[in-house]
Structures are given as structure tokens and as C-alpha cells.
Amino acid sequence: MNHFLDIHTTSAEDLRTMIDQGRAMKDARQGRPRGAPDDEQPLAGHMVALIFEKPSTRTRVSFDVGTRQMGGQTMVLSGQDMQLGHGETIADTARVLSRYVDLIMIRTFDESVVQEMAEYASVPVINGLTDRSHPCQIMADVMTYEEHRGPIKGKKVVWTGDGNNVFASFLHAAQQFEFELVFSGPQQLDPDREYVSMAREAGVDFTIQRDPWKAVDGADLIVADTWVSMHDAQSTRERRHNLLRAYQVNDALMQAAKPDALFMHCLPAHRNEEVTSSVMDGPQSVIFDEAENRLHAQKAVMRWCLGK
Ligand code: CP
Ligand code: NVA
């Protein structure tokens, strides 16, 4: 069963196939109306359940549109509206949904929910973000980098800010796509220790550089994310802002990287907090291509899951 649970638990070869297929599907749609079906309809007759236990704009719309472009149908479900949010077990929910749908995408809090869903479902399960990782995002990010600058292998990627779920998937991707990764943030918000150890054991070119100015020296790509994630208590907001203020991506920091460095952010962004509007809207920013590529990359992920 091809569950898409994380970047490091999917083979590098399969990841590469998905990125390339996503790009080919994007090219094949050039000049078409957004709602037009693809020539190929690999999801025809297929039903996809999209479950959200946290808010979403991009993940929700891109999975929905992508499924329809490929001929499938979707149902968008909120965890709270399901019995899942009222005491039914994940295992029972997985077994029931498997009798109705062909594919399940879930965004939730604890990663154990996605893992249990995958364990008990008899259809593929896709991780649409947990507190710990966000693999679909990084598929779009790798695709976006390569679309603009060619192979990401050997490039220097610098993450500034919180060592959060999106960073974790970048760390997994550094192993699978063989790029250099630098984390630049305060020690209090260091990345997941288990993932850092795994990356180091796997020989990933990963370093921590507390000084953002030193970190971005020679960078090909600078990445930022919100300072307060959906799973973080709002009561930690002030502390987090105080710890992270020095890591804001602004024009001066961008200028300290390579002249052709790109800027990425998974969005939603908090303008003039983790990144200035001038960088977000500036010539090095590819944030909206990144958002668009969620659609194309995830279409390839869904095809891989379904063996289509
Ligand atoms: N980047 C991302 O996953 O966005 P949404 O939260 O809007 O889905
Ligand atoms: N780190 C953010 C990513 C949102 C797409 C969060 O988890 O809220």
C-alpha cells in the first residue's frame, strides 16, 4: 500500500518520479482554463476524502481541484463534524472510510492519528500536515526550486526561524534529494531531536548556525515560516516573537545570500513578522509558484498512492 506519510519514509526514487510527473502534468495544462479536465483521467471513478482537523486554504483547495482535474471526486470533511471528533476511534473511522472512498488525505495534530489511520485503512492515506511534519508542502517546494533553478541536489538551503513541522520535512528532503541544509534559529526552538539524529546518522549535510547573517552566506534558497504554528498555544506568541525577531527575512538578509537566491514560504505568512512584504513581493520570491505547485505535486502524489 502506497501511503504518503513522510518524505523520509518514501523512497528517493519514488519521490523523484512524483516531482517529475507533477512537472509534466503542469506543463501539459499550459494555457488551459483552471477547471478544465486533464487529458488523462487517472482518478476517474475515484472518491477522495479530505479530512481537516486544522484550518487550511492551500491544502484543501489544491487537493480538491487536483482530484477533479484528474477525473475524481472529493468530499471535504471537518474532524469536528465527524464522529472522529466525538470519540469514535481512528481505527474504526479508517475501516469505515475504506468501505466508501479510494484515498484519504488527513490534516491533524498528533502524527499518531495519521499513522493509525494508515495502519487500519485499506486504502492509501496522505499526510496533509501534522504537528510534526508537512511532506506535501516540501514536494511542492522541491518542484518549485527546480523549476526556477534546476536540480536542487548540492544546493544550499537555509531555514530561518522556528524548527517546526515544515522544517522537519525539509530535513527529510535534504536526505532524499541530497541538498545542504542549514537551520538558523534560537536554541529554544531547535528542530525535532530525533529527526536531527536520524539526518546526521544518514550523513545529511546539516548544520545549525545561530547567526542568520553567517547562515545565509552562499545560500541558494532561503525559507521562512510563521513563528506561531497552528499547534502552538497562543500564550507562547510573545515569547516566540521575542526569540525569533532576529531571524526575520528582510531585504538586507536576502542580499547577504547568493545574488540569485530564491525565497520561499509555505504560506500563510504574517507579513512583516517572519518576512517583510518587500521580500515576499520582491523579485527573488517564488511563494505563489510554490502555492500553485501544491496542486501539481500532489496530483502526482495521489497517482503514486493509487498506482495510477
Ligand atoms: N501551506 C499550507 O499547507 O497552507 P494551508 O494551511 O492553507 O493548507
Ligand atoms: N508551521 C505551520 C505551517 C502551516 C501550513 C503550521 O503548522 O501552522
Side-chain angles (χ1 to χ4, degrees), residues 125-184:
V125 173
I126 296 174
N127 173 0
L129 178 146
T130 68
D131 298 357
R132 206 175 179 207
S133 66
H134 195 3
C136 292
Q137 180 65 53
I138 275 48
M139 294 299 280
D141 293 1
V142 170
M143 182 177 157
T144 306
Y145 184 84
E146 297 198 333
E147 194 172 58
H148 284 270
R149 294 284 185 267
I152 197 166
K153 183 174 175 174
K155 299 293 181 182
K156 180 176 176 180
V157 177
V158 179
W159 176 278
T160 68
D162 182 18
N164 65 15
N165 47 359
V166 179
F167 175 79
S169 289
F170 259 106
L171 189 53
H172 299 151
Q175 178 180 338
Q176 304 288 53
F177 292 97
E178 299 176 66
F179 55 82
E180 177 189 350
L181 183 62
V182 179
F183 170 78
S184 190

Side-chain angles (χ1 to χ4, degrees), residues 54 58-59 107 129-131 134 137 162 164-166 225-226 228-231 266-268 294:
K54 285 176 179 169
R58 279 142 289 266
T59 306
R107 164 171 289 194
L129 178 146
T130 68
D131 298 357
H134 195 3
Q137 180 65 53
D162 182 18
N164 65 15
N165 47 359
V166 179
D225 188 13
T226 179
V228 186
S229 283
M230 292 182 273
H231 59 271
C266 65
L267 304 178
R294 294 291 303 278

